[in-house]
Amino acid sequence: MATVTETTIAQKLEALLKLQTIDSALDNIKKVRGDLPEEVRDLEDEIAGLETRLTKFQAEISSFEEQISNYKISKKDSDKLIVKYKEQQMNVRNNREFDAISKEIELQGLEMEIADKRIKEIDFKVLNKNDEVASVESNLHERKKDLEIKQKELEVIIGESEEDEQKFLKDRDKALKSVEERLLKSYTKLRDNAINGLAVVMVKRGACGGCFSSVPPQRQTDIKDKKKLIVCEHCGRILAGVEDPIPAPEKEKKPRGKAATAAAAAAAAAAAVPAE
């Protein structure tokens, strides 16, 4: 039974480490792309916002123009009434009727003056709004040019790594099938919280491969045994194994006897040289 448990844990660690290796490769591909994908998204959002603002401004201008049109119609109606009232004024029977019609003519004249005033005010608003529209359209044109350049740059970079990315994505789908759901959730959570995206690491040179904190020798032994899943006490990353450091080649040591003999011979030769 112990052998079965050990194999099961070892297989879990191997599956997690394989998934981590694939994800790290995908992370490296994304790093090559840098901030370009985010810049493209930001530009797309900015363009969408500018287009929405432009549509709003154009709707406001249309509303202003409709108001101007209504005031002009009102002026024409008032002008017609004035002509009509003046004709009636010629046929009045007394001063009372004449004064009443005069007041109507005066009222329609005031209506026309008010309409002219409102038209001027709205014309000024339309003028300002057209300036805003021109500014937005100019900005929108520039942003679209920037987006086109960024998209082309991104397409080139994606094209260079697309084949590798697709291969890694297929490998990842296969690797996911070997990782149980509970471990996958923990793995995903660790990756999301880690700056470097590392959730499963090896112990290298006696330290965690993620946070580089020291791992005690006894704990390293437990990790090597692979009888249970062990995480780093400092960062919580899963420790999949221990990489033993490659011992440095030993330098050849000269025998002490030969070294002493060589030193004595050198001293004798120096003493034999006559002084000038």
Side-chain angles (χ1 to χ4, degrees):
M1 292 297 291
T3 305
V4 173
T5 305
E6 182 180 342
T7 304
T8 303
I9 295 297
Q11 288 176 341
K12 289 179 180 179
L13 288 170
E14 184 181 353
L16 284 170
L17 190 59
K18 184 177 181 181
L19 181 60
Q20 178 66 76
T21 302
I22 295 169
D23 281 338
S24 293
L26 288 168
D27 288 344
N28 288 334
I29 289 175
K30 291 177 182 177
K31 283 179 185 177
V32 172
R33 295 172 187 172
D35 296 330
L36 268 177
E38 188 174 346
E39 289 175 7
V40 168
R41 283 193 297 271
D42 288 344
L43 281 169
E44 288 173 342
D45 291 342
E46 186 179 356
I47 287 170
L50 289 170
E51 288 176 338
T52 300
R53 192 183 307 173
L54 187 61
T55 301
K56 180 184 175 183
F57 287 166
Q58 289 170 340
E60 289 177 358
I61 290 172
S62 296
S63 175
F64 290 150
E65 289 174 345
E66 185 178 352
Q67 291 176 42
I68 290 172
S69 176
N70 290 336
Y71 280 122
K72 286 181 177 180
I73 291 171
S74 177
K75 275 185 65 178
K76 287 181 180 179
D77 291 340
S78 294
D79 189 52
K80 288 178 181 179
L81 284 172
I82 289 172
V83 171
K84 177 184 174 183
Y85 290 145
K86 284 183 176 181
E87 288 177 357
Q88 290 178 355
Q89 213 173 28
M90 301 297 292
N91 301 315
V92 294
R93 290 169 295 183
N94 52 53
N95 289 338
R96 186 178 177 183
E97 288 182 1
F98 184 88
D99 291 340
I101 294 173
S102 295
K103 286 182 179 178
E104 287 296 331
I105 292 172
E106 184 180 351
L107 181 62
Q108 293 304 318
L110 288 173
E111 288 290 339
M112 292 178 69
E113 288 178 9
I114 291 171
D116 283 332
K117 183 180 178 182
R118 294 286 182 266
I119 288 172
K120 286 180 181 179
E121 289 174 352
I122 297 172
D123 275 337
F124 184 73
K125 289 181 181 179
V126 170
L127 186 64
N128 288 337
K129 196 61 64 176
N130 280 329
D131 288 341
E132 291 182 19
V133 167
S135 176
V136 171
E137 286 178 337
S138 176
N139 198 8
L140 183 60
H141 179 68
E142 291 299 321
R143 294 283 79 78
K144 284 184 176 180
K145 282 170 61 179
D146 292 341
L147 178 60
E148 186 179 354
I149 292 170
K150 295 290 183 184
Q151 283 177 331
K152 286 181 180 178
E153 289 178 9
L154 186 58
E155 285 172 5
V156 171
I157 295 173
I158 289 176
E160 291 173 350
S161 58
E162 187 174 11
E163 187 176 342
D164 290 337
E165 184 179 17
Q166 292 303 318
K167 178 183 178 300
F168 284 130
L169 287 172
K170 288 180 181 178
D171 292 342
R172 190 178 194 277
D173 289 338
K174 293 178 183 177
L176 285 173
K177 296 176 182 178
S178 302
V179 180
E180 61 183 60
E181 186 176 353
R182 178 180 62 86
L183 286 177
L184 182 59
K185 287 181 179 179
S186 299
Y187 169 84
T188 303
K189 186 177 180 180
L190 284 167
R191 259 181 65 79
D192 290 342
N193 293 330
I195 296 175
N196 54 11
L198 293 177
V200 182
V201 297
M202 300 290 288
V203 175
K204 300 179 181 180
R205 298 182 180 276
C208 168
C211 67
F212 309 111
S213 297
S214 178
V215 179
Q218 180 56 49
R219 198 166 182 79
Q220 292 186 43
T221 302
D222 294 339
I223 294 167
K224 285 181 179 180
D225 290 341
K226 297 186 179 181
K227 292 181 180 179
K228 60 180 179 179
L229 292 174
I230 298 175
V231 300
C232 175
E233 295 177 343
H234 299 275
C235 66
R237 289 180 173 88
I238 300 169
L239 301 173
V242 178
E243 288 187 6
D244 292 321
I246 301 172
E250 295 184 2
K251 295 181 180 180
E252 292 184 7
K253 295 182 179 179
K254 294 182 179 180
R256 291 181 62 86
K258 288 185 179 180
T261 303
V273 178
E276 293 183 358

